[in-house]
Amino acid sequence: LKDMKRLQHGDMKLGPLRFTRRHTVLIDVDTFNSQRKFLPQKGRDLWHSDFVKMPCSQSANQKSRWDVISKKLKSLASKKTVSVKDVEEAIIKYNPKYKDQWSFDALHTFNKNIPDTENYFKTLFPKIAALALKLPDFVNKAIPLLRKGQSATITLSQVQISCLLANAFFCTFPHRNTSNPTAEYSGYPTINFNSLFGNWSERKREKLRAIMHYFKEVTDESTRPKGLVTFHRECLSYTDMPTWESCKENLSKLHITSEGQIELEGKGMLQVDFANSLIGGGVLGSGLLQEEILFLINPELIVARLFTEKLEDNECLIITGSQQFSSYSGFGDSFEWAGPYEDQSERDQWARRKTQILAIDAMNFRHSMDQYKMRHINRELNKAYCGFKGYDGHEKPDIATGKWGCGAFNGDPQLKALIQLMAAAKAKRGLAFFTFGDEYLKQSLQHIYDLMFAEGITVGTLYKLLCEFSSAKHRDSHVDLFDFIKKNIRNSKSHL
Ligand code: APR
């Protein structure tokens, strides 16, 4: 881990905020420059298919709904204590269609099961309601949708994010509650929290502990976060996709460890989120794998679900400046919220934390053999490269990653490690690889890397080896990638 620290760019600069047609800044920059305060930028409320449709929109059909919502929220916010029943009743009041569909049993059971010392929720609910009510003041400029096929950026203040998430908690976002494939937002993740409140399980208990802790922090004047967060969707054009077989780059530096985790030991690096194409995956449902855990300990990431359309094969999302609020232990069923986390990450000149999270979704291989087809290897190479190459003059710290796509998505860790190594080399960035306790992978990857490095293998040569391996694997499914490379590496440079 000491070497890992050396890999980190302690003085990582994130580059200037560029105000371009494609970068929407939701805070008032002049005010920020002169007084170091963030005020929402004045703009127009746009009820339009290119923007997030807001619950407080003044559009004809929405105004009366916001009247009902704000009346309900005001009534909750005015009380000292609010029960789960009151929360449920309010949400259903302005979402009557879902009266018999939405269940709140997880929230009820959670409230009953949690020890008294930790049960501050009755007094927290009014504060979340008060925060949600601030929406028309805090976010009064339309939020553009980060749509497929376009690179674009949004910067919000952490306070704006907390207000949007308070609205998600109270399920106020319109047009977002149907999974009908022809519905307007069917290509977007869900954002209203109703799915978090139903289907009680131990997992839900731990998720709710993390989420409630976030709201406790952001509704308290003394702990309210004061920075900015930037969300950038990067779309790699077909002309920018590398011709992999002719890449002349040598492999980048690689550090492999079986200890530690991306989000802790990888602080200061570009941290890879093993994402779903619908950003955040099952964070508001029952999922509790790497991505969902990342989103629970950094709940500001959840707001990306409001405006990020499903990622295409040549796209990724990079989030700069989000804050970690919670600690945790375990994974999946053993996940536990382990208390508050005090994020000490430095901030850049735009008050963003020096944290970059890269969401890239691997392919989900229901049939394991599919991943060895060259068109799938190409897809994964371009996906990783899209995220690793950086954007718009951003500093490029080393990358913290691991068994991307090798859990729920059934990928081969050897193949995925080489794919990421090639993409990192092409992007000229070092790689820290966390095998997450997999000692065998650590040793075998180190061995094959040392061998390839000693032979001076380039990205192009490795690509050609992968092409040969792909054919060999389809002739004999038992061929092991690292064994194949060991056997063929000497010939590769002369014959390929
Ligand atoms: N740091 C390093 N490695 C980790 C970490 C971590 N914090 N957490 C998990 N891993 C390792 C584990 O070995 C895990 O099996 O990465 C492997 C892959 O993790 P998954 O989360 O299963 O990733 P993937 O196969 O890409 O599945 C993505 O899962 O979380 C959902 O929304 C996500 O639908 C998407 C799917």
Side-chain angles (χ1 to χ4, degrees):
L1 291 181
K2 252 193 211 147
D3 293 341
M4 185 83 64
K5 290 270 179 285
R6 252 184 272 137
L7 267 178
Q8 292 178 357
H9 286 197
D11 58 348
M12 181 173 90
K13 293 190 197 86
L14 292 164
L17 275 188
R18 293 182 175 198
F19 305 107
T20 62
R21 203 164 49 84
R22 293 232 165 125
H23 187 164
T24 307
V25 182
L26 274 289
I27 46 101
D28 186 330
V29 183
D30 291 336
T31 315
F32 167 67
N33 279 335
S34 55
Q35 298 166 24
R36 296 217 136 238
K37 263 191 200 158
F38 310 126
L39 288 184
Q41 240 188 2
K42 293 266 178 287
R44 278 187 307 138
D45 159 36
L46 285 169
W47 186 262
H48 187 278
S49 56
D50 289 341
F51 296 86
V52 174
K53 289 188 169 158
M54 299 289 268
C56 55
S57 170
Q58 291 303 303
S59 73
N61 57 348
Q62 204 48 37
K63 195 174 170 325
S64 57
R65 185 167 175 268
W66 181 247
D67 289 344
V68 180
I69 292 173
S70 48
K71 198 166 154 216
K72 273 283 149 201
L73 294 182
K74 266 181 206 151
S75 138
L76 297 183
S78 66
K79 295 180 182 162
K80 276 217 163 55
T81 62
V82 160
S83 67
V84 172
K85 191 97 203 84
D86 297 332
V87 172
E88 173 178 351
E89 194 261 331
I91 292 174
I92 291 301
K93 178 77 187 174
Y94 45 82
N95 291 294
K97 265 203 281 185
Y98 301 99
K99 186 172 186 304
D100 299 321
Q101 288 178 41
W102 288 358
S103 152
F104 291 79
D105 67 298
L107 200 55
H108 281 287
T109 313
F110 172 66
N111 191 43
K112 276 186 222 137
N113 279 16
I114 216 79
D116 279 351
T117 46
E118 213 187 288
N119 197 339
Y120 49 79
F121 310 122
K122 282 193 179 106
T123 52
L124 182 60
F125 292 142
K127 293 181 190 166
I128 307 176
L131 180 58
L133 270 171
K134 298 261 173 61
L135 190 63
D137 303 324
F138 282 3
V139 188
N140 52 25
K141 186 174 184 220
I143 305 177
L145 295 168
L146 295 181
R147 313 196 87 148
K148 61 182 172 193
Q150 294 164 13
S151 297
T153 314
I154 296 174
T155 294
L156 290 154
S157 73
Q158 289 181 280
V159 169
Q160 288 175 317
I161 294 173
S162 67
C163 176
L164 290 163
L165 290 178
N167 274 277
F169 181 93
F170 277 104
C171 306
T172 68
F173 287 104
H175 292 223
R176 300 301 288 256
N177 294 326
T178 168
S179 51
N180 182 339
T182 58
E184 183 178 1
Y185 286 94
S186 60
Y188 288 76
T190 58
I191 182 66
N192 288 329
F193 279 18
N194 54 288
S195 49
L196 194 60
F197 299 152
N199 293 327
W200 166 252
S201 65
E202 307 265 299
R203 287 182 171 213
K204 283 283 171 70
R205 181 186 65 211
E206 298 307 309
K207 285 184 166 205
L208 285 166
R209 287 173 87 191
I211 293 291
M212 290 307 200
H213 171 67
Y214 166 74
F215 281 119
K216 181 163 169 278
E217 296 286 290
V218 297
T219 53
D220 182 331
E221 188 58 48
S222 64
T223 47
R224 182 172 297 157
K226 296 190 174 67
L228 304 184
V229 184
T230 294
F231 299 83
H232 174 79
R233 183 187 190 111
E234 180 67 12
C235 178
L236 181 68
S237 67
Y238 288 92
T239 48
D240 285 343
M241 283 178 190
T243 312
W244 290 100
E245 65 265 37
S246 19
C247 290
K248 300 269 180 291
E249 291 80 4
N250 288 315
L251 299 183
S252 330
K253 58 185 174 168
L254 171 70
H255 180 82
I256 313 166
T257 175
S258 55
E259 290 164 42
Q261 284 137 325
I262 294 169
E263 66 286 352
L264 292 178
E265 284 71 20
K267 279 239 180 287
M269 299 185 184
L270 177 75
Q271 300 178 17
V272 177
D273 161 16
F274 303 160
N276 190 289
S277 54
L278 288 167
I279 194 82
V283 63
L284 299 179
S286 300
L288 253 178
L289 301 179
Q290 192 254 8
E291 174 166 54
E292 288 89 357
I293 293 173
L294 193 63
F295 278 54
L296 289 168
I297 61 174
N298 302 273
E300 290 162 343
L301 300 176
I302 297 174
V303 86
R305 295 168 67 87
L306 182 61
F307 44 72
T308 310
E309 193 170 11
K310 188 174 181 187
L311 298 175
E312 296 283 295
D313 287 346
N314 57 332
E315 296 180 324
C316 68
L317 186 75
I318 302 170
I319 301 123
T320 305
S322 64
Q323 178 174 335
Q324 183 175 341
F325 286 83
S326 290
S327 305
Y328 78 97
S329 63
F331 185 72
D333 280 337
S334 66
F335 171 84
E336 275 182 33
W337 179 75
Y341 177 87
E342 207 172 308
D343 195 331
Q344 306 279 9
S345 329
E346 273 178 67
R347 294 180 189 271
D348 67 4
Q349 70 269 41
W350 292 100
R352 295 178 300 184
R353 288 183 184 273
K354 291 185 176 180
T355 305
Q356 287 186 41
I357 290 171
L358 164 66
I360 41 174
D361 55 305
M363 288 183 79
N364 186 354
F365 293 110
R366 286 184 186 87
H367 305 288
S368 171
M369 282 301 288
D370 283 350
Q371 66 190 302
Y372 305 107
K373 292 181 179 153
M374 278 320 288
R375 73 187 150 92
H376 292 152
I377 292 178
N378 289 334
R379 187 273 186 196
E380 302 295 66
L381 276 167
N382 289 324
K383 171 69 73 168
Y385 177 67
C386 172
F388 292 0
K389 75 180 180 59
Y391 73 98
D392 269 0
H394 256 51
E395 277 285 306
K396 301 209 292 186
D398 292 323
I399 299 157
T401 189
K403 293 161 83 172
W404 171 53
C406 301
F409 283 178
N410 207 20
D412 171 347
Q414 295 189 353
L415 180 57
K416 276 293 195 294
L418 296 194
I419 286 174
Q420 294 183 86
L421 198 54
M422 290 162 74
K426 182 72 195 156
K428 300 198 168 24
R429 297 172 91 153
L431 204 67
F433 197 96
F434 294 84
T435 69
F436 206 61
D438 186 340
E439 202 57 46
Y440 174 74
L441 180 64
K442 181 194 158 184
Q443 280 168 21
S444 56
L445 180 56
Q446 187 69 60
H447 182 68
I448 204 76
Y449 174 81
D450 292 344
L451 192 67
M452 292 191 300
F453 198 83
E455 291 289 327
I457 289 286
T458 63
V459 171
T461 317
L462 185 50
Y463 182 82
K464 288 173 199 156
L465 271 169
L466 285 183
C467 291
E468 287 204 340
F469 169 74
S470 169
S471 312
K473 186 83 181 171
H474 283 101
R475 286 192 300 273
D476 173 6
S477 64
H478 295 102
V479 184
D480 174 276
L481 176 56
F482 288 177
D483 287 345
F484 181 87
I485 290 181
K486 264 182 250 164
K487 277 194 199 122
N488 293 282
I489 196 163
R490 294 260 143 72
N491 298 335
S492 66
K493 283 197 298 175
S494 47
H495 296 138
L496 288 173

